[in-house]
Amino acid sequence: MNETIIDSKLKHLIQVCKETQNYKKLAVSGFILISNKMDEMGIRLGLRPRNKEKDEMLFEYMKLINDVFMTNLKIHIFKQERLETLKQCETLFLRKKGDVPYNYVKKIFLLYYELRKLDIPNLHEQLKEDNLIKTTNANLFSFLSPKGRQKKNDTNKLRPLILHKVREKEIALRETLNYDFNAKTFEQAIYLKKIKKGLEENGKHKIVIQGALKDNINYQLSLKSILGYFILGVFLVAFCFGFVVLIEMMLFPFTVGIFGLSILLLFGVAALFLILYWQNFRGE
């Protein structure tokens, strides 16, 4: 639907809601708009669709997008404040069944318009060698061009210097994207990832240009995140067992001698894994 039409309908809906002091319809409309925008972004970025059948929440899907590109490029597409705002509003919206106060409705629409401003590229587009060369220094990377291929020995001598320059530019692009995300810089970061991968692979003389931009992204959950969930799971299991044993001891005091050491062990393991998670994975 045309964005101008959406805006005009929203203005009318806002006016009606203010007159009736019932903001439920407005809140529902806001979340529908955010949901549609997140679905569109996920498609453009090459991610799986949001799992609506299993009630995957919008903020969870937003976090998934951030996790994927943090793993691949060490960047956040969505700022942490946006993620926290969405989580806060969505949690309240579901708990209150849509009946949220106006200040939360305002946050929902501010978030929607912020998302609408984000310039998300289409990663289904094909890699182009011209763009690959433009991303880098034309002289230093001239051997990537089919007209400028050098001898293998010369290329191998240049490889460490080129790799160093690629890493420097990668850091610069990362800082830029984490400060202010934009499609052009994001695509450059993906092209640099492609170049770096080609340079780091032993025995290859040239970088093969083929496939879509999304083919250079690993969409699997990072091993670090999986390890974090495992540690958190061990903590919960140990804590729950410890709590059950504690209740058992309170109900049947004669079991203190039997389970006394066990409860110390269980709560000790729970505390250890909680500390590990808190120090290494909090905020993942």
Side-chain angles (χ1 to χ4, degrees):
M1 187 182 290
N2 186 286
E3 290 182 352
T4 306
I5 296 174
I6 290 175
D7 288 342
S8 62
K9 286 187 174 182
L10 278 177
K11 286 179 182 178
H12 175 70
L13 185 57
I14 290 170
Q15 185 61 36
V16 172
C17 290
K18 282 185 175 179
E19 290 173 0
T20 61
Q21 293 297 302
N22 184 351
Y23 298 105
K24 185 173 182 176
K25 286 185 179 179
L26 196 55
V28 170
S29 299
F31 272 108
I32 290 173
L33 289 171
I34 290 176
S35 176
N36 292 341
K37 180 57 67 175
M38 292 298 302
D39 289 344
E40 177 193 332
M41 289 177 172
I43 290 169
R44 292 181 69 83
L45 292 169
L47 271 83
R48 63 162 176 79
R50 185 162 62 91
N51 196 336
K52 298 175 184 179
E53 291 182 0
K54 292 188 177 180
D55 298 323
E56 182 177 20
M57 297 177 75
L58 285 165
F59 80 86
E60 292 173 334
Y61 192 62
M62 182 181 278
K63 185 178 184 302
L64 171 67
I65 294 175
N66 266 358
D67 287 346
V68 165
F69 290 98
M70 175 55 68
T71 299
N72 284 270
L73 302 170
K74 292 185 173 57
I75 65 164
H76 283 130
I77 291 182
F78 306 105
K79 292 186 182 297
Q80 188 62 28
E81 312 85 87
R82 288 176 180 153
L83 181 56
E84 291 299 327
T85 298
L86 180 57
K87 181 178 179 180
Q88 182 187 44
C89 292
E90 189 175 15
T91 303
L92 182 67
F93 177 83
L94 293 174
R95 190 169 71 243
K96 296 280 190 179
K97 296 182 180 179
D99 190 16
V100 295
Y102 179 68
N103 61 318
Y104 277 89
V105 175
K106 191 174 179 181
K107 287 180 182 180
I108 291 166
F109 279 95
L110 285 173
L111 178 60
Y112 165 67
Y113 282 106
E114 284 181 6
L115 292 176
R116 209 169 80 173
K117 288 177 186 176
L118 278 179
D119 186 16
I120 301 294
N122 182 8
L123 299 192
H124 295 273
E125 292 181 355
Q126 297 296 303
L127 283 161
K128 297 176 183 177
E129 185 155 311
D130 288 345
N131 289 343
L132 193 64
I133 303 302
K134 286 176 185 176
T135 302
T136 58
N137 182 286
N139 294 324
L140 185 59
F141 295 87
S142 59
F143 81 95
L144 296 174
S145 171
K147 295 179 181 179
R149 303 284 186 208
Q150 297 185 356
K151 293 180 179 179
K152 187 174 181 179
N153 289 338
D154 293 337
T155 300
N156 289 336
K157 289 177 184 177
L158 278 174
R159 193 175 297 268
L161 175 60
I162 296 168
L163 194 53
H164 175 70
K165 290 294 182 183
V166 165
R167 286 168 178 160
E168 281 186 339
K169 188 157 188 177
E170 191 178 38
I171 292 170
L173 288 178
R174 188 186 306 151
E175 290 176 352
T176 301
L177 285 165
N178 280 322
Y179 177 73
D180 184 24
F181 182 88
N182 71 81
K184 186 176 179 181
T185 308
F186 183 61
E187 288 179 356
Q188 286 181 345
I190 295 176
Y191 277 113
L192 272 187
K193 178 181 170 68
K194 175 72 174 177
I195 294 172
K196 188 172 79 169
K197 183 179 177 183
L199 290 169
E200 288 176 341
E201 288 178 351
N202 295 326
K204 287 199 173 182
H205 171 49
K206 63 180 181 180
I207 298 173
V208 180
I209 310 300
Q210 61 182 13
L213 285 164
K214 70 182 185 66
D215 294 339
N216 297 283
I217 302 297
N218 176 16
Y219 290 98
Q220 300 301 314
L221 189 65
S222 69
L223 290 176
K224 184 178 179 183
S225 295
I226 293 172
L227 180 59
Y229 288 129
F230 172 75
I231 289 174
L232 188 59
V234 173
F235 155 72
L236 288 172
V237 170
F239 180 80
C240 289
F241 270 107
F243 185 74
V244 169
V245 172
L246 180 62
I247 296 297
E248 187 81 9
M249 289 168 59
M250 290 173 65
L251 293 174
F252 306 101
F254 66 87
T255 61
V256 172
I258 301 172
F259 297 120
L261 186 60
S262 298
I263 195 171
L264 288 175
L265 182 62
L266 286 167
F267 280 126
V269 169
L272 175 62
F273 277 84
L274 179 61
I275 292 168
L276 279 174
Y277 180 82
W278 190 265
Q279 290 181 344
N280 297 284
F281 300 97
R282 186 168 59 97
E284 280 291 306

